[in-house]
Amino acid sequence: MALLARLLYDVQKLDLEIDAAERESQTLRGRFGETEDLRTARQASASREEERKNLAARLRSLELDLGEVEDKIKATEKALYQGEGQTPKELASLQKEDGFLRSRRGEIEEQALETMERLEEASRQAERLRQEYEKLEATWKKEQGGLQAELEKLKDQFQKLQDKRAKLVAGIHPDALDAYEELRKRKGRVAVALVEGGICKGCGVDVPPSQQNEILRGEHLVHCSNCERILYMETQ
Ligand SMILES: [Zn+2]
């Protein structure tokens, strides 16, 4: 019996370590998955790339329009210079058409130039954002790998603690274990309190000498009169 409080105290040490390992494991699990930074960087990169594509498509379309207008201008010029047999009215109409086409060409060229400048800027930014995202992603992947390794280590540690605990509790009467578990639930995970300098370390209240002797005799479990915890004293 002298051993019981000590055994329970040792079980509690393991249980506190197991609790800590569980908390740590939860913290690690919480860090799995994408970060807000990574998501934001990916969205920024994707939306700039989208803009770049749209501008490139617009430029292609303007270049096609320009080609068409050029062809029409050539055809009109040809008609004007081979102008034999045309009435003055037909010639005037061709000249008007030529003027219209040339001003249309000017407009398209201006738009194409502006689009080209915007495309260059968008391409530069898209490239910069893509590189930023890739850098961030590489760091993140490395971190996630590190987390995985830490978690594996913790799992190992957890298993070892559980094995140790199983061996230890095998030598404890089930009733004593139940009492321990029940107290632990009610007393903030600490069921066994050490008595040091005549004081219960669970609640800070004095343990009278007669009770200290009772604990040292170890004939039965002694509970703190204030906090109800099982008292344990280390023999010198
Ligand atoms: Zn106490």
Side-chain angles (χ1 to χ4, degrees), residues 68-106:
E68 261 177 52
V69 172
E70 300 269 20
D71 286 348
K72 279 183 190 163
I73 288 173
K74 266 181 212 151
T76 314
E77 274 175 349
K78 208 173 161 191
L80 272 171
Y81 291 116
Q82 294 174 347
E84 288 168 36
Q86 285 170 336
T87 64
K89 199 181 165 190
E90 280 169 339
L91 275 173
S93 156
L94 275 171
Q95 269 158 358
K96 198 179 161 194
E97 172 73 3
D98 187 54
F100 166 76
L101 286 171
R102 280 168 197 278
S103 105
R104 177 83 189 111
R105 179 173 66 185

mmCIF file of all heavy atoms in Angstrom, residues 68-106:
data_model
loop_
_atom_site.group_PDB
_atom_site.id
_atom_site.type_symbol
_atom_site.label_atom_id
_atom_site.label_comp_id
_atom_site.label_asym_id
_atom_site.label_seq_id
_atom_site.Cartn_x
_atom_site.Cartn_y
_atom_site.Cartn_z
ATOM 1 N N GLU A 68 -7.285 44.219 -91.721
ATOM 2 C CA GLU A 68 -8.479 44.376 -92.568
ATOM 3 C C GLU A 68 -8.559 45.778 -93.159
ATOM 4 O O GLU A 68 -8.827 45.956 -94.353
ATOM 5 C CB GLU A 68 -9.740 44.143 -91.727
ATOM 6 C CG GLU A 68 -10.325 42.752 -91.867
ATOM 7 C CD GLU A 68 -11.525 42.591 -90.940
ATOM 8 O OE1 GLU A 68 -12.434 43.445 -90.997
ATOM 9 O OE2 GLU A 68 -11.520 41.625 -90.149
ATOM 10 N N VAL A 69 -8.325 46.788 -92.301
ATOM 11 C CA VAL A 69 -8.399 48.178 -92.754
ATOM 12 C C VAL A 69 -7.310 48.458 -93.792
ATOM 13 O O VAL A 69 -7.555 49.115 -94.810
ATOM 14 C CB VAL A 69 -8.296 49.146 -91.555
ATOM 15 C CG1 VAL A 69 -8.179 50.590 -92.025
ATOM 16 C CG2 VAL A 69 -9.511 49.009 -90.663
ATOM 17 N N GLU A 70 -6.107 47.905 -93.549
ATOM 18 C CA GLU A 70 -5.004 48.076 -94.514
ATOM 19 C C GLU A 70 -5.398 47.511 -95.876
ATOM 20 O O GLU A 70 -5.150 48.131 -96.917
ATOM 21 C CB GLU A 70 -3.735 47.350 -94.027
ATOM 22 C CG GLU A 70 -3.189 47.819 -92.687
ATOM 23 C CD GLU A 70 -2.162 48.940 -92.810
ATOM 24 O OE1 GLU A 70 -2.153 49.600 -93.858
ATOM 25 O OE2 GLU A 70 -1.407 49.140 -91.837
ATOM 26 N N ASP A 71 -5.985 46.308 -95.853
ATOM 27 C CA ASP A 71 -6.422 45.681 -97.109
ATOM 28 C C ASP A 71 -7.435 46.572 -97.830
ATOM 29 O O ASP A 71 -7.369 46.761 -99.060
ATOM 30 C CB ASP A 71 -7.070 44.315 -96.835
ATOM 31 C CG ASP A 71 -6.007 43.274 -96.470
ATOM 32 O OD1 ASP A 71 -4.799 43.574 -96.658
ATOM 33 O OD2 ASP A 71 -6.380 42.186 -95.975
ATOM 34 N N LYS A 72 -8.367 47.116 -97.049
ATOM 35 C CA LYS A 72 -9.403 47.972 -97.652
ATOM 36 C C LYS A 72 -8.790 49.241 -98.234
ATOM 37 O O LYS A 72 -9.192 49.704 -99.297
ATOM 38 C CB LYS A 72 -10.458 48.334 -96.606
ATOM 39 C CG LYS A 72 -11.479 47.229 -96.403
ATOM 40 C CD LYS A 72 -12.542 47.673 -95.420
ATOM 41 C CE LYS A 72 -13.425 46.497 -95.014
ATOM 42 N NZ LYS A 72 -14.180 46.812 -93.799
ATOM 43 N N ILE A 73 -7.807 49.802 -97.496
ATOM 44 C CA ILE A 73 -7.145 51.021 -97.990
ATOM 45 C C ILE A 73 -6.446 50.739 -99.325
ATOM 46 O O ILE A 73 -6.568 51.492 -100.298
ATOM 47 C CB ILE A 73 -6.142 51.571 -96.944
ATOM 48 C CG1 ILE A 73 -6.908 52.172 -95.764
ATOM 49 C CG2 ILE A 73 -5.209 52.616 -97.553
ATOM 50 C CD1 ILE A 73 -6.038 52.591 -94.590
ATOM 51 N N LYS A 74 -5.749 49.606 -99.374
ATOM 52 C CA LYS A 74 -5.060 49.219 -100.620
ATOM 53 C C LYS A 74 -6.049 49.091 -101.772
ATOM 54 O O LYS A 74 -5.816 49.582 -102.880
ATOM 55 C CB LYS A 74 -4.326 47.888 -100.424
ATOM 56 C CG LYS A 74 -2.861 48.097 -100.011
ATOM 57 C CD LYS A 74 -2.166 46.751 -99.847
ATOM 58 C CE LYS A 74 -1.103 46.858 -98.761
ATOM 59 N NZ LYS A 74 -0.904 45.578 -98.088
ATOM 60 N N ALA A 75 -7.174 48.434 -101.493
ATOM 61 C CA ALA A 75 -8.190 48.223 -102.531
ATOM 62 C C ALA A 75 -8.760 49.562 -102.990
ATOM 63 O O ALA A 75 -8.970 49.784 -104.202
ATOM 64 C CB ALA A 75 -9.303 47.323 -101.984
ATOM 65 N N THR A 76 -8.993 50.479 -102.060
ATOM 66 C CA THR A 76 -9.548 51.788 -102.411
ATOM 67 C C THR A 76 -8.547 52.597 -103.227
ATOM 68 O O THR A 76 -8.896 53.227 -104.234
ATOM 69 C CB THR A 76 -9.912 52.578 -101.131
ATOM 70 O OG1 THR A 76 -10.608 51.723 -100.235
ATOM 71 C CG2 THR A 76 -10.784 53.778 -101.457
ATOM 72 N N GLU A 77 -7.257 52.535 -102.787
ATOM 73 C CA GLU A 77 -6.217 53.244 -103.539
ATOM 74 C C GLU A 77 -6.135 52.734 -104.973
ATOM 75 O O GLU A 77 -6.026 53.506 -105.918
ATOM 76 C CB GLU A 77 -4.853 53.035 -102.855
ATOM 77 C CG GLU A 77 -4.603 54.042 -101.743
ATOM 78 C CD GLU A 77 -3.308 53.758 -100.996
ATOM 79 O OE1 GLU A 77 -2.715 52.675 -101.196
ATOM 80 O OE2 GLU A 77 -2.916 54.633 -100.198
ATOM 81 N N LYS A 78 -6.184 51.433 -105.104
ATOM 82 C CA LYS A 78 -6.108 50.810 -106.428
ATOM 83 C C LYS A 78 -7.261 51.311 -107.307
ATOM 84 O O LYS A 78 -7.056 51.719 -108.453
ATOM 85 C CB LYS A 78 -6.195 49.289 -106.272
ATOM 86 C CG LYS A 78 -5.496 48.528 -107.376
ATOM 87 C CD LYS A 78 -5.484 47.040 -107.028
ATOM 88 C CE LYS A 78 -5.235 46.210 -108.274
ATOM 89 N NZ LYS A 78 -5.472 44.789 -108.001
ATOM 90 N N ALA A 79 -8.432 51.336 -106.718
ATOM 91 C CA ALA A 79 -9.608 51.792 -107.451
ATOM 92 C C ALA A 79 -9.459 53.268 -107.838
ATOM 93 O O ALA A 79 -9.837 53.680 -108.933
ATOM 94 C CB ALA A 79 -10.862 51.582 -106.601
ATOM 95 N N LEU A 80 -8.859 54.054 -106.929
ATOM 96 C CA LEU A 80 -8.686 55.487 -107.201
ATOM 97 C C LEU A 80 -7.692 55.727 -108.330
ATOM 98 O O LEU A 80 -7.919 56.546 -109.214
ATOM 99 C CB LEU A 80 -8.198 56.199 -105.927
ATOM 100 C CG LEU A 80 -9.271 56.692 -104.960
ATOM 101 C CD1 LEU A 80 -8.641 57.179 -103.652
ATOM 102 C CD2 LEU A 80 -10.098 57.818 -105.582
ATOM 103 N N TYR A 81 -6.555 54.981 -108.294
ATOM 104 C CA TYR A 81 -5.516 55.231 -109.308
ATOM 105 C C TYR A 81 -5.851 54.600 -110.651
ATOM 106 O O TYR A 81 -5.344 54.992 -111.669
ATOM 107 C CB TYR A 81 -4.142 54.786 -108.791
ATOM 108 C CG TYR A 81 -3.698 55.707 -107.680
ATOM 109 C CD1 TYR A 81 -3.520 55.250 -106.383
ATOM 110 C CD2 TYR A 81 -3.498 57.072 -107.951
ATOM 111 C CE1 TYR A 81 -3.142 56.107 -105.368
ATOM 112 C CE2 TYR A 81 -3.137 57.927 -106.928
ATOM 113 C CZ TYR A 81 -2.960 57.443 -105.641
ATOM 114 O OH TYR A 81 -2.604 58.307 -104.647
ATOM 115 N N GLN A 82 -6.697 53.606 -110.620
ATOM 116 C CA GLN A 82 -7.150 53.039 -111.899
ATOM 117 C C GLN A 82 -8.501 53.660 -112.215
ATOM 118 O O GLN A 82 -9.412 53.001 -112.675
ATOM 119 C CB GLN A 82 -7.300 51.529 -111.782
ATOM 120 C CG GLN A 82 -5.989 50.830 -111.569
ATOM 121 C CD GLN A 82 -6.181 49.336 -111.303
ATOM 122 O OE1 GLN A 82 -7.312 48.900 -111.050
ATOM 123 N NE2 GLN A 82 -5.116 48.591 -111.393
ATOM 124 N N GLY A 83 -8.604 54.914 -111.885
ATOM 125 C CA GLY A 83 -9.890 55.611 -111.872
ATOM 126 C C GLY A 83 -10.565 55.842 -113.222
ATOM 127 O O GLY A 83 -11.546 56.569 -113.294
ATOM 128 N N GLU A 84 -10.065 55.236 -114.330
ATOM 129 C CA GLU A 84 -10.694 55.481 -115.632
ATOM 130 C C GLU A 84 -12.117 54.946 -115.663
ATOM 131 O O GLU A 84 -12.399 53.893 -115.116
ATOM 132 C CB GLU A 84 -9.877 54.792 -116.738
ATOM 133 C CG GLU A 84 -8.563 55.521 -116.987
ATOM 134 C CD GLU A 84 -7.625 54.707 -117.863
ATOM 135 O OE1 GLU A 84 -8.134 54.031 -118.776
ATOM 136 O OE2 GLU A 84 -6.400 54.747 -117.605
ATOM 137 N N GLY A 85 -12.940 55.691 -116.301
ATOM 138 C CA GLY A 85 -14.318 55.236 -116.503
ATOM 139 C C GLY A 85 -15.190 55.414 -115.292
ATOM 140 O O GLY A 85 -16.317 54.908 -115.260
ATOM 141 N N GLN A 86 -14.665 56.136 -114.260
ATOM 142 C CA GLN A 86 -15.508 56.356 -113.098
ATOM 143 C C GLN A 86 -16.124 57.747 -113.155
ATOM 144 O O GLN A 86 -15.466 58.702 -113.557
ATOM 145 C CB GLN A 86 -14.693 56.196 -111.818
ATOM 146 C CG GLN A 86 -14.398 54.751 -111.528
ATOM 147 C CD GLN A 86 -13.383 54.605 -110.405
ATOM 148 O OE1 GLN A 86 -12.601 55.527 -110.164
ATOM 149 N NE2 GLN A 86 -13.385 53.457 -109.768
ATOM 150 N N THR A 87 -17.289 57.816 -112.707
ATOM 151 C CA THR A 87 -17.957 59.118 -112.695
ATOM 152 C C THR A 87 -17.375 59.958 -111.554
ATOM 153 O O THR A 87 -16.848 59.386 -110.587
ATOM 154 C CB THR A 87 -19.472 58.965 -112.449
ATOM 155 O OG1 THR A 87 -19.643 58.414 -111.132
ATOM 156 C CG2 THR A 87 -20.138 58.091 -113.475
ATOM 157 N N PRO A 88 -17.416 61.284 -111.623
ATOM 158 C CA PRO A 88 -16.929 62.131 -110.518
ATOM 159 C C PRO A 88 -17.600 61.771 -109.203
ATOM 160 O O PRO A 88 -16.981 61.815 -108.143
ATOM 161 C CB PRO A 88 -17.334 63.548 -110.956
ATOM 162 C CG PRO A 88 -17.467 63.470 -112.434
ATOM 163 C CD PRO A 88 -17.928 62.086 -112.773
ATOM 164 N N LYS A 89 -18.846 61.381 -109.269
ATOM 165 C CA LYS A 89 -19.560 61.019 -108.043
ATOM 166 C C LYS A 89 -18.948 59.760 -107.415
ATOM 167 O O LYS A 89 -18.741 59.675 -106.197
ATOM 168 C CB LYS A 89 -21.034 60.768 -108.382
ATOM 169 C CG LYS A 89 -21.937 60.852 -107.157
ATOM 170 C CD LYS A 89 -23.370 60.566 -107.534
ATOM 171 C CE LYS A 89 -24.202 60.294 -106.285
ATOM 172 N NZ LYS A 89 -25.522 59.789 -106.656
ATOM 173 N N GLU A 90 -18.609 58.789 -108.314
ATOM 174 C CA GLU A 90 -17.984 57.551 -107.816
ATOM 175 C C GLU A 90 -16.608 57.840 -107.227
ATOM 176 O O GLU A 90 -16.227 57.293 -106.200
ATOM 177 C CB GLU A 90 -17.858 56.528 -108.961
ATOM 178 C CG GLU A 90 -19.159 55.805 -109.232
ATOM 179 C CD GLU A 90 -19.115 54.985 -110.534
ATOM 180 O OE1 GLU A 90 -18.273 55.274 -111.390
ATOM 181 O OE2 GLU A 90 -19.933 54.073 -110.645
ATOM 182 N N LEU A 91 -15.847 58.720 -107.901
ATOM 183 C CA LEU A 91 -14.524 59.102 -107.398
ATOM 184 C C LEU A 91 -14.608 59.789 -106.043
ATOM 185 O O LEU A 91 -13.851 59.484 -105.123
ATOM 186 C CB LEU A 91 -13.830 60.044 -108.393
ATOM 187 C CG LEU A 91 -13.072 59.368 -109.517
ATOM 188 C CD1 LEU A 91 -12.564 60.403 -110.533
ATOM 189 C CD2 LEU A 91 -11.899 58.545 -108.971
ATOM 190 N N ALA A 92 -15.562 60.701 -105.936
ATOM 191 C CA ALA A 92 -15.750 61.420 -104.660
ATOM 192 C C ALA A 92 -16.083 60.442 -103.547
ATOM 193 O O ALA A 92 -15.573 60.545 -102.421
ATOM 194 C CB ALA A 92 -16.857 62.457 -104.800
ATOM 195 N N SER A 93 -16.900 59.477 -103.895
ATOM 196 C CA SER A 93 -17.281 58.476 -102.888
ATOM 197 C C SER A 93 -16.079 57.626 -102.460
ATOM 198 O O SER A 93 -15.920 57.305 -101.272
ATOM 199 C CB SER A 93 -18.415 57.615 -103.445
ATOM 200 O OG SER A 93 -18.445 56.359 -102.817
ATOM 201 N N LEU A 94 -15.228 57.292 -103.460
ATOM 202 C CA LEU A 94 -14.015 56.511 -103.149
ATOM 203 C C LEU A 94 -13.057 57.313 -102.251
ATOM 204 O O LEU A 94 -12.459 56.777 -101.313
ATOM 205 C CB LEU A 94 -13.276 56.120 -104.439
ATOM 206 C CG LEU A 94 -13.755 54.856 -105.150
ATOM 207 C CD1 LEU A 94 -13.073 54.726 -106.505
ATOM 208 C CD2 LEU A 94 -13.488 53.619 -104.298
ATOM 209 N N GLN A 95 -12.948 58.622 -102.556
ATOM 210 C CA GLN A 95 -12.072 59.480 -101.743
ATOM 211 C C GLN A 95 -12.572 59.603 -100.315
ATOM 212 O O GLN A 95 -11.797 59.588 -99.349
ATOM 213 C CB GLN A 95 -11.946 60.875 -102.386
ATOM 214 C CG GLN A 95 -10.753 60.938 -103.335
ATOM 215 C CD GLN A 95 -10.877 62.052 -104.359
ATOM 216 O OE1 GLN A 95 -11.896 62.781 -104.386
ATOM 217 N NE2 GLN A 95 -9.869 62.187 -105.210
ATOM 218 N N LYS A 96 -13.885 59.695 -100.223
ATOM 219 C CA LYS A 96 -14.481 59.788 -98.891
ATOM 220 C C LYS A 96 -14.198 58.494 -98.100
ATOM 221 O O LYS A 96 -13.804 58.524 -96.928
ATOM 222 C CB LYS A 96 -16.000 59.996 -99.050
ATOM 223 C CG LYS A 96 -16.650 60.544 -97.789
ATOM 224 C CD LYS A 96 -18.135 60.749 -98.016
ATOM 225 C CE LYS A 96 -18.845 60.838 -96.664
ATOM 226 N NZ LYS A 96 -20.286 60.702 -96.837
ATOM 227 N N GLU A 97 -14.371 57.384 -98.819
ATOM 228 C CA GLU A 97 -14.122 56.067 -98.203
ATOM 229 C C GLU A 97 -12.651 55.971 -97.772
ATOM 230 O O GLU A 97 -12.331 55.514 -96.667
ATOM 231 C CB GLU A 97 -14.459 54.975 -99.239
ATOM 232 C CG GLU A 97 -14.090 53.547 -98.847
ATOM 233 C CD GLU A 97 -15.003 52.956 -97.772
ATOM 234 O OE1 GLU A 97 -15.960 53.660 -97.376
ATOM 235 O OE2 GLU A 97 -14.742 51.820 -97.320
ATOM 236 N N ASP A 98 -11.740 56.431 -98.615
ATOM 237 C CA ASP A 98 -10.314 56.401 -98.316
ATOM 238 C C ASP A 98 -10.006 57.220 -97.062
ATOM 239 O O ASP A 98 -9.265 56.773 -96.179
ATOM 240 C CB ASP A 98 -9.538 56.970 -99.520
ATOM 241 C CG ASP A 98 -8.032 56.817 -99.332
ATOM 242 O OD1 ASP A 98 -7.586 55.657 -99.086
ATOM 243 O OD2 ASP A 98 -7.307 57.833 -99.373
ATOM 244 N N GLY A 99 -10.603 58.397 -96.991
ATOM 245 C CA GLY A 99 -10.401 59.265 -95.816
ATOM 246 C C GLY A 99 -10.905 58.597 -94.547
ATOM 247 O O GLY A 99 -10.222 58.606 -93.510
ATOM 248 N N PHE A 100 -12.070 58.005 -94.656
ATOM 249 C CA PHE A 100 -12.643 57.325 -93.499
ATOM 250 C C PHE A 100 -11.741 56.182 -93.025
ATOM 251 O O PHE A 100 -11.460 56.021 -91.837
ATOM 252 C CB PHE A 100 -14.043 56.800 -93.864
ATOM 253 C CG PHE A 100 -14.570 55.816 -92.881
ATOM 254 C CD1 PHE A 100 -15.060 56.242 -91.637
ATOM 255 C CD2 PHE A 100 -14.564 54.446 -93.164
ATOM 256 C CE1 PHE A 100 -15.530 55.319 -90.725
ATOM 257 C CE2 PHE A 100 -15.020 53.526 -92.234
ATOM 258 C CZ PHE A 100 -15.516 53.963 -91.018
ATOM 259 N N LEU A 101 -11.260 55.390 -94.006
ATOM 260 C CA LEU A 101 -10.417 54.224 -93.666
ATOM 261 C C LEU A 101 -9.105 54.660 -93.010
ATOM 262 O O LEU A 101 -8.633 54.038 -92.058
ATOM 263 C CB LEU A 101 -10.126 53.396 -94.925
ATOM 264 C CG LEU A 101 -11.298 52.563 -95.453
ATOM 265 C CD1 LEU A 101 -10.965 51.978 -96.815
ATOM 266 C CD2 LEU A 101 -11.664 51.446 -94.475
ATOM 267 N N ARG A 102 -8.525 55.757 -93.517
ATOM 268 C CA ARG A 102 -7.261 56.226 -92.942
ATOM 269 C C ARG A 102 -7.443 56.714 -91.499
ATOM 270 O O ARG A 102 -6.584 56.453 -90.644
ATOM 271 C CB ARG A 102 -6.665 57.347 -93.799
ATOM 272 C CG ARG A 102 -5.946 56.805 -95.005
ATOM 273 C CD ARG A 102 -5.592 57.873 -96.019
ATOM 274 N NE ARG A 102 -5.289 57.252 -97.294
ATOM 275 C CZ ARG A 102 -4.092 56.724 -97.580
ATOM 276 N NH1 ARG A 102 -3.122 56.768 -96.700
ATOM 277 N NH2 ARG A 102 -3.898 56.150 -98.757
ATOM 278 N N SER A 103 -8.562 57.381 -91.260
ATOM 279 C CA SER A 103 -8.765 57.842 -89.877
ATOM 280 C C SER A 103 -9.061 56.642 -88.963
ATOM 281 O O SER A 103 -8.638 56.596 -87.810
ATOM 282 C CB SER A 103 -9.861 58.913 -89.833
ATOM 283 O OG SER A 103 -11.060 58.408 -89.316
ATOM 284 N N ARG A 104 -9.759 55.640 -89.523
ATOM 285 C CA ARG A 104 -10.024 54.405 -88.748
ATOM 286 C C ARG A 104 -8.695 53.708 -88.422
ATOM 287 O O ARG A 104 -8.478 53.227 -87.310
ATOM 288 C CB ARG A 104 -10.931 53.482 -89.585
ATOM 289 C CG ARG A 104 -11.226 52.151 -88.970
ATOM 290 C CD ARG A 104 -12.368 52.228 -87.966
ATOM 291 N NE ARG A 104 -12.482 50.961 -87.234
ATOM 292 C CZ ARG A 104 -12.194 50.827 -85.959
ATOM 293 N NH1 ARG A 104 -11.779 51.850 -85.261
ATOM 294 N NH2 ARG A 104 -12.325 49.655 -85.373
ATOM 295 N N ARG A 105 -7.790 53.688 -89.410
ATOM 296 C CA ARG A 105 -6.483 53.061 -89.188
ATOM 297 C C ARG A 105 -5.732 53.766 -88.061
ATOM 298 O O ARG A 105 -5.142 53.137 -87.190
ATOM 299 C CB ARG A 105 -5.646 53.103 -90.476
ATOM 300 C CG ARG A 105 -4.260 52.469 -90.279
ATOM 301 C CD ARG A 105 -3.498 52.353 -91.558
ATOM 302 N NE ARG A 105 -3.156 53.661 -92.092
ATOM 303 C CZ ARG A 105 -2.558 53.847 -93.278
ATOM 304 N NH1 ARG A 105 -2.277 52.808 -94.052
ATOM 305 N NH2 ARG A 105 -2.278 55.063 -93.721
ATOM 306 N N GLY A 106 -5.800 55.104 -88.090
ATOM 307 C CA GLY A 106 -5.147 55.891 -87.034
ATOM 308 C C GLY A 106 -5.689 55.530 -85.655
ATOM 309 O O GLY A 106 -4.923 55.339 -84.703
#
